[in-house]
Amino acid sequence: MMRLLRNKSAHLGQSLFRQVGLPRIGDGKLLVFIPRQWPYIWERLIKPAGQSNPSLFPQLLREGLIHQDIVTYSQGLLAKVQGVIAEASAVLNEAYEQFRNLPFYQAALTQLEGNSESYDFENFTNV
């Protein structure tokens, strides 16, 4: 997933990762929301003067954006990823306990090494 996201960013540019900033009612703090689809093409909503319907704007925001600001969404995403890793680690630990005494199978290791891929990517330079 991260490789796909990195490739989209590298080839198409960061400007395609659309965000919408909306002020919070009460204190006016600006919260940033991200779209539910990619690419989110704002230009498809452009209409000639006089043909637009401003009352549709709140509906477009509700339908097109995730209903959490990007900070809250990121915290939830991190918790979800940590949960998946924890569950996968438990399964892997159990599998290791069950299979650790099996004999070494060189043919399987050779086939696995033959199917592996490596990438030159080291880090993001724009951070």
Side-chain angles (χ1 to χ4, degrees):
M1 178 70 168
M2 288 305 298
R3 189 175 76 207
L4 179 65
L5 182 62
R6 181 241 173 229
N7 287 345
K8 286 181 181 290
S9 175
H11 299 328
L12 301 173
Q14 187 177 355
S15 62
L16 287 179
F17 294 97
R18 304 296 175 108
Q19 303 178 51
V20 176
L22 298 171
R24 182 166 54 190
I25 296 174
D27 64 2
K29 178 181 177 185
L30 191 64
L31 301 175
V32 177
F33 298 84
I34 55 177
R36 294 183 201 213
Q37 66 186 40
W38 194 95
Y40 188 74
I41 303 171
W42 303 57
E43 293 78 8
R44 69 180 170 82
L45 302 172
I46 295 175
K47 303 214 183 306
Q51 291 185 8
S52 63
N53 184 352
S55 65
L56 292 178
F57 187 67
Q59 178 186 348
L60 289 172
L61 293 178
R62 279 191 296 276
E63 291 173 359
L65 301 176
I66 291 177
H67 292 196
Q68 289 182 316
D69 67 284
I70 197 164
V71 172
T72 306
Y73 171 77
S74 298
Q75 291 168 343
L77 180 61
L78 177 62
K80 182 65 79 173
V81 169
Q82 288 173 334
V84 168
I85 290 171
E87 292 296 322
S89 296
V91 170
L92 289 173
N93 285 337
E94 185 177 331
Y96 175 74
E97 289 297 324
Q98 293 176 5
F99 298 126
R100 70 179 172 177
N101 294 324
L102 290 177
F104 184 71
Y105 187 39
Q106 181 61 44
L109 180 60
T110 303
Q111 183 180 9
L112 182 62
E113 288 173 344
N115 291 332
S116 67
E117 297 180 29
S118 66
Y119 302 92
D120 293 333
F121 175 76
E122 293 178 2
N123 59 1
F124 294 103
T125 58
N126 62 345
V127 179

